[in-house]
Amino acid sequence: MYRTHNNGQLRAADINKEVTLSGWVQKTRDKGFMVWVDLRDRYGITQLIFDEERTPKEVMEKATKLGREFVIQVKGTVIERESKNPNMPTGDVEILVSELTILNESLTPPFTIEDKTDGGEDLRMKYRYLDIRRKPVRENLIFRHKVAIAVRNYLSKEGFVEVETPYLIKSTPEGARDFVVPSRMNEGQFYALPQSPQTFKQLLMVGGLDKYFQIVKCFRDEDLRADRQPEFTQIDCEMAFVEQEDILNAFEGLTKHLLKEINGVEISEFPRMTYDEAMAKYGNDKPDIRFGMEFGELNAVAQHKDFNVFNQAELVVGIAVPGGNTFTRKEIDTLIDWLKRPQIGALGMVYVRCNEDGTYKSSVDKFYDQTDLAKWADVTGAKPGDLICVLSGDKNKTRAQLSALRMHLAEELGLRKSNEFAPLWVVDFPLLEWDEETERYHAMHHPFTSPKPGQLELLATNPGEVKANAYDLVLNGNEIGGGSIRIHNKKTQALMFDYLGFTSEEAKAQFGFLMDAFQYGAPPHGGIAFGLDRLVAILGGQETIRDFIAFPKNNAGRDVMIDAPAPIDAKQLEELHLKINLKH
Amino acid sequence: MYRTHNNGQLRAADINKEVTLSGWVQKTRDKGFMVWVDLRDRYGITQLIFDEERTPKEVMEKATKLGREFVIQVKGTVIERESKNPNMPTGDVEILVSELTILNESLTPPFTIEDKTDGGEDLRMKYRYLDIRRKPVRENLIFRHKVAIAVRNYLSKEGFVEVETPYLIKSTPEGARDFVVPSRMNEGQFYALPQSPQTFKQLLMVGGLDKYFQIVKCFRDEDLRADRQPEFTQIDCEMAFVEQEDILNAFEGLTKHLLKEINGVEISEFPRMTYDEAMAKYGNDKPDIRFGMEFGELNAVAQHKDFNVFNQAELVVGIAVPGGNTFTRKEIDTLIDWLKRPQIGALGMVYVRCNEDGTYKSSVDKFYDQTDLAKWADVTGAKPGDLICVLSGDKNKTRAQLSALRMHLAEELGLRKSNEFAPLWVVDFPLLEWDEETERYHAMHHPFTSPKPGQLELLATNPGEVKANAYDLVLNGNEIGGGSIRIHNKKTQALMFDYLGFTSEEAKAQFGFLMDAFQYGAPPHGGIAFGLDRLVAILGGQETIRDFIAFPKNNAGRDVMIDAPAPIDAKQLEELHLKINLKH
């Protein structure tokens, strides 16, 4: 047996016990006549002591040769420490070692195995197995497990059944790109890896399973943006015989349970907001409502003077930055420069200082008087000491710019507190969104989303106005879940495919099985999917999903540790009926 | 709201309640003045009643038009049934319907939605969503969920952490064929889908995670045998600082827990048997020990006469079939024909009838007398009334043939009882096995398996004799789990790769990351993986894994419901830098 106890376990009550411990050498202190070793494992650190007088000579000698990250096993006696360490759970005791076995040696690791390491991102990814030895990474992985099992037990108790859907499915060129898998046994044919189990979960509802969930890997072959992974994990859920209200209640229940069980936070009822309201108030469909700075639309109180910039704008909109009047001129200029960067693309910013004495000083005093500015303060909710920031222009672009500014300022002002949780349902999403590139409407959620009752007719005349039975769950400014009530009859589904530009042959080839299924008594159904990576990161008070994934890929989609992807054998290619078609 | 109750819920105590129910029309009985409808959902069946006197006329009319599998919603009053059905949980009541809404119509399904259906395998696979409506399939999926969550909660309580390992990894041509995934962003390169998370779980041990598990999909591109799936699910586990004994204890604990929690069966301690013993006693490394018929080796008592068939055989071995003396001559001839089929390949069978009076009558009475046959009975444990079946020839082949006969007879005699559970550890597997085709030794388990201490040297002189720290968990004649203690130092691993025919370049290219990891303080570790599909089937008292998979593939690796795999777009191929290389 390698150990009788782990390294986080021994206490004063264990003094005089003979124990066997195993683990990694965190560090050694060699004073000649005495050697101390910090022995580490997943559970903690226990101090070992070797001393000239009490330790056999050959053991003492071996101890002086231990290097960082050596794997050792020791036998010894638990003794009371002379200088106790109240910061360590095992800090009252140490082990007087009588036997020492080196189980494995270690080269000097390329970075320190400490909470704060000297290793950069690239190095840590290449040696991820060493990075995982660091407590913050290890704790993140354990945290992820706790969240996942809490989800499973909650849903299971609520009558949901976890069903495994297939990974080798069929490619559907709609939506993001699929990863495909050539079939050896079916020449010239390919499986695709699922972007989500969407159609399968709907078929499970047709199959009468009633309440389904699955924690499942999904795949998207996209050009990776920061913090996106080609493989990611969803909590995928579907229910039959439900309306939107039933789903919101069911998954508000799940999220409340997680916040309570994982974070000890109780939230009574999640606020709800329509998509239109979210866009008007926050310029964003996933607003962070942990703080204010709500948008105030100023068209009515800013387009009556000679300031053409505003007069020609579709939207004039501002936010009141709490305490922003303390910003120096230089700080405000920096803000304006930040807004003008191509990523944001604003042309400039108008601002109003709200002085403590109730007067205003604006960058457009030439055009607006104190009465005007008082109205702006009223609309944006600005108080003395605040700074009003105003942008104008095209409605959608301006909202996006002001939303970016709002988030940027909140970050700077420390308003995005990681231990505060502000969930929000955003409902009534548009069914379609306009795609600039292809110059047509696309399904905002996916082609299986049901329009709101009675709105199907609008498709012909005013497609952008059609609202869907679609909803997102937002937590601290991140979309953590999204879903919809689905179409469940063949005619409507066919109409939708037709509207989205599928020929009936394409619709049949790709989704014929689903439309067939709808002919055999499909029940009304709907669902939601949570992004587990993101959810875990946010519950963990962080925003980088990579820190919660054991073996993430880099931004080029590579696993730098195992060096994948990689070329394959010519024989393998031949068996798969493939040839490489290099461009260069 | 679509329902106030589900269809398995209402009881006599609910009489007079106003309820809303939804579900599928299981069947209707129309007597003109009265119509009864069985309304079905996942939870059960509730009887609806429409009658001329009490039901509104238009509702009555609609009811007469309901077809099988129509999806309906009804409102009505719970009333006491005139003729109660004690076989149904809801059999005391029925619903007097006042409102009826048809939520969706249904074509006549291609097979009946009944426990015993008229649909054949192919039809049921094509319309799997209808097959899932049948109670046996639905209950199997729910059963699988129960097993999976019991596994997760048990391991979690034991301190195991479920960690998700990547699906897009690197192809390693050793072992079975990989499914590969072309990379769009890395021209000419491929990911592979994991055959198991083997190397990743070992890296998690190097990373100090100590106790890992994962219920995870794995992939093998093999020519499919019956009841094999290209994607299958494993309960994958690994522990650090363990010896074989620790692992056997940990997972005996898991299996006991499952048998108790899922099947209500308590088993105190699992028997253990070496591989050599299993082969000698049962001719099989996964013996079904629910019944006897252990092998008796007869060389010593059968090679002293003039019967050349036995004298020239490497092995003469028999089993005593309990009560087999009742077999007619014709039945025995049928058995012999069965043995002679090419799948089994025996040349013949010698048999001995053990008469109730203590005498023997054999098919080789010409050569052997009563004293000889009495010795055979003694060695095989035959009692009066039994039949001794004896095969001879090459040791390995003869054992395999007699094992097949033993299983066949057990099946015929009803000795393989699905509600009996006989777990067994088979230990001390050989490290290597001889491959006839390539004429060299292969790793029996995988190249990461550690030889038994001190046996590494045997590799050079007597490779077939080297035993590994490898073990299988067998349940009712099926391998449900297998694992080993791993190699954890670079030198031994390199030696092993070398022995298995890898050049050091190949070893480095494919497994360099693992051997690198072994240099930085890899702890001793080992693990096991259970086949979840098989485990669930056996716990469920069945042997066909397909019945426990929601959307299985057929023997050609096709999903006949969604029709995958399928050709992909020329544009997709081009983006992936591929050309199809058709042979025909």
Side-chain angles (χ1 to χ4, degrees), chain A residues 51-115:
Chain A
D51 99 54
E52 230 172 25
E53 288 177 17
R54 295 175 289 175
T55 303
K57 199 172 165 225
E58 73 281 7
V59 175
M60 191 77 193
E61 252 168 43
K62 235 196 257 177
T64 61
K65 286 171 191 152
L66 293 174
R68 267 169 51 208
E69 300 306 316
F70 274 41
V71 185
I72 62 172
Q73 180 188 39
V74 296
K75 292 186 185 191
T77 313
V78 184
I79 60 173
E80 189 172 2
R81 269 213 219 180
E82 277 191 26
S83 55
K84 298 192 174 47
N85 182 346
N87 299 321
M88 283 173 71
T90 62
D92 286 349
V93 300
E94 59 192 358
I95 312 300
L96 179 64
V97 176
S98 55
E99 287 179 41
L100 166 62
T101 310
I102 294 174
L103 298 173
N104 215 344
E105 300 194 347
S106 175
L107 299 180
T108 304
F111 49 84
T112 56
I113 311 297
E114 305 274 1
D115 292 4

Side-chain angles (χ1 to χ4, degrees), chain B residues 194-417:
Chain B
Q195 295 185 29
S196 89
Q198 182 63 33
T199 51
F200 288 97
K201 69 175 172 175
Q202 292 192 241
L203 292 175
L204 288 173
M205 293 306 103
V206 177
L209 218 68
D210 210 77
K211 289 173 164 187
Y212 145 92
F213 83 102
Q214 187 183 191
I215 299 187
V216 62
K217 272 281 173 80
C218 300
F219 304 85
R220 273 182 209 171
D221 185 13
E222 288 178 300
D223 299 319
L224 299 175
R225 283 180 273 157
D227 217 29
R228 281 266 186 136
Q229 292 280 320
E231 49 178 304
F232 54 97
T233 306
Q234 286 196 346
I235 308 167
D236 192 49
C237 310
E238 197 82 359
M239 301 170 81
F241 299 111
V242 287
E243 290 157 346
Q244 175 169 309
E245 194 59 27
D246 301 304
I247 298 198
L248 299 195
N249 287 334
F251 294 97
E252 186 163 320
L254 169 65
T255 312
K256 272 183 196 168
H257 174 77
L258 293 179
L259 284 167
K260 188 167 171 208
E261 178 148 326
I262 305 289
N263 299 89
V265 172
E266 289 205 50
I267 293 176
S268 61
E269 201 173 335
F270 294 5
R272 295 185 190 181
M273 193 179 284
T274 65
Y275 172 87
D276 288 344
E277 194 184 347
M279 294 310 286
K281 261 179 141 166
Y282 300 98
N284 195 315
D285 61 2
K286 43 178 199 282
D288 189 339
I289 59 167
R290 279 175 295 182
F291 54 93
M293 291 199 270
E294 292 176 10
F295 288 14
E297 297 194 355
L298 300 169
N299 294 43
V301 292
Q303 292 185 321
H304 60 299
K305 293 291 175 71
D306 287 339
F307 189 47
N308 269 336
V309 173
F310 280 2
N311 294 348
Q312 287 162 11
E314 185 184 1
L315 179 70
V316 182
V317 60
I319 53 174
V321 183
N325 194 23
T326 60
F327 291 1
T328 61
R329 177 63 203 253
K330 204 177 150 204
E331 283 171 326
I332 292 176
D333 285 345
T334 306
L335 265 191
I336 295 174
D337 288 344
W338 185 89
L339 276 167
K340 284 179 169 174
R341 293 175 317 146
Q343 300 95 303
I344 310 292
L347 295 173
M349 180 181 91
V350 164
Y351 63 89
V352 183
R353 292 181 175 281
C354 305
N355 297 320
E356 295 292 349
D357 63 5
T359 63
Y360 302 97
K361 175 82 190 104
S362 84
S363 59
V364 284
D365 278 354
K366 214 164 92 183
F367 301 100
Y368 299 97
D369 57 27
Q370 293 288 314
T371 317
D372 293 327
L373 300 178
K375 285 181 188 159
W376 296 13
D378 187 48
V379 173
T380 58
K383 291 181 189 56
D386 291 355
L387 178 79
I388 306 174
C389 299
V390 183
L391 301 183
S392 63
D394 167 79
K395 185 169 80 176
N396 293 340
K397 283 185 190 156
T398 305
R399 281 176 170 176
Q401 290 159 1
L402 191 60
S403 170
L405 178 65
R406 176 177 176 270
M407 293 300 276
H408 175 67
L409 285 166
E411 202 71 64
E412 301 259 301
L413 296 171
L415 302 175
R416 306 194 68 196
K417 300 198 179 89

Side-chain angles (χ1 to χ4, degrees), chain A residues 352-420:
Chain A
V352 183
R353 291 181 175 281
C354 306
N355 297 318
E356 295 292 349
D357 64 4
T359 63
Y360 302 96
K361 175 81 190 108
S362 85
S363 59
V364 283
D365 278 355
K366 212 165 94 186
F367 301 102
Y368 299 97
D369 58 27
Q370 292 289 312
T371 316
D372 292 326
L373 300 178
K375 284 181 188 160
W376 296 13
D378 187 48
V379 173
T380 59
K383 293 181 187 55
D386 291 355
L387 178 78
I388 306 173
C389 298
V390 183
L391 300 183
S392 63
D394 166 79
K395 186 169 80 177
N396 293 340
K397 283 183 188 156
T398 306
R399 281 176 171 175
Q401 291 158 1
L402 191 61
S403 170
L405 178 66
R406 176 177 176 270
M407 293 300 275
H408 176 67
L409 285 166
E411 202 72 63
E412 302 259 298
L413 297 170
L415 302 175
R416 305 195 68 195
K417 300 199 179 86
S418 65
N419 59 349
E420 258 179 39

Side-chain angles (χ1 to χ4, degrees), chain A residues 1-3 22-24 42-43 69 71 103-108 129-130 132-133 138 144-145 149 152-153 156 159-171 177 179-184 186-187 189-191 200 203 206-211 217 219 221-223 231 233 240-243 488 513 516-517 519-524 532 550-551 553 557-558 561-566 568 572-573 575-582 584, chain B residues 1-3 22-24 42-43 69 71 103-108 129-130 132-133 138 144-145 149 152-153 156 159-171 177 179-182 184 186-187 189-191 200 203 206-211 217 219 221-223 231 233 240-243 488 513 516-517 519-524 532 550-551 553 557-558 561-566 568 572-573 575-582 584:
Chain A
M1 211 204 310
Y2 279 106
R3 57 190 175 191
S22 290
W24 285 267
R42 167 179 146 195
Y43 311 95
E69 300 306 316
V71 185
L103 298 173
N104 215 344
E105 300 194 347
S106 175
L107 299 180
T108 304
Y129 45 87
L130 297 179
I132 291 172
R133 280 191 203 156
R138 186 178 68 230
R144 183 185 180 113
H145 167 62
I149 203 146
R152 285 192 158 102
N153 281 319
S156 195
F160 287 80
V161 180
E162 184 162 20
V163 178
E164 295 177 56
T165 52
Y167 278 78
L168 297 173
I169 64 166
K170 192 152 90 170
S171 188
R177 272 190 212 88
F179 281 106
V180 297
V181 180
S183 167
R184 181 179 54 86
N186 302 273
E187 217 175 63
Q189 301 192 7
F190 294 74
Y191 301 98
F200 288 96
L203 291 176
V206 176
L209 219 68
D210 210 77
K211 289 173 161 189
K217 272 281 175 76
F219 304 85
D221 184 13
E222 289 179 300
D223 298 318
E231 50 178 304
T233 306
F241 298 111
V242 288
E243 289 158 346
H488 67 280
F513 60 95
D516 282 351
Q519 295 182 101
Y520 291 99
L532 180 66
F551 300 103
K553 295 195 170 49
R558 292 198 73 83
M561 180 185 72
I562 64 170
D563 195 24
I568 58 173
Q572 262 177 301
L573 268 179
E575 283 189 335
L576 295 170
H577 325 286
L578 291 178
K579 271 186 188 166
I580 303 289
N581 178 24
L582 287 186
H584 314 295
Chain B
M1 209 203 314
Y2 278 105
R3 57 190 175 193
S22 291
W24 285 266
R42 168 179 146 196
Y43 311 95
E69 300 306 313
V71 185
L103 298 172
N104 216 343
E105 300 193 348
S106 175
L107 299 180
T108 304
Y129 44 87
L130 296 180
I132 291 172
R133 279 190 204 158
R138 185 178 69 228
R144 182 183 180 113
H145 166 62
I149 203 145
R152 285 190 158 103
N153 281 319
S156 196
F160 287 79
V161 181
E162 183 161 19
V163 178
E164 295 175 57
T165 52
Y167 278 78
L168 297 173
I169 65 167
K170 192 153 90 172
S171 189
R177 274 191 211 87
F179 282 106
V180 298
V181 181
R184 182 179 53 86
N186 302 273
E187 218 175 64
Q189 300 191 6
F190 294 74
Y191 302 98
F200 288 97
L203 292 175
V206 177
L209 218 68
D210 210 77
K211 289 173 164 187
K217 272 281 173 80
F219 304 85
D221 185 13
E222 288 178 300
D223 299 319
E231 49 178 304
T233 306
F241 299 111
V242 287
E243 290 157 346
H488 67 280
F513 61 95
D516 283 351
Q519 296 181 101
Y520 290 100
L532 181 66
F551 300 102
K553 292 192 172 51
R558 293 198 72 83
M561 180 185 70
I562 64 169
D563 195 24
I568 57 172
Q572 261 177 302
L573 269 179
E575 283 188 335
L576 295 170
H577 325 287
L578 291 178
K579 271 186 190 165
I580 303 289
N581 179 22
L582 287 186
H584 312 296

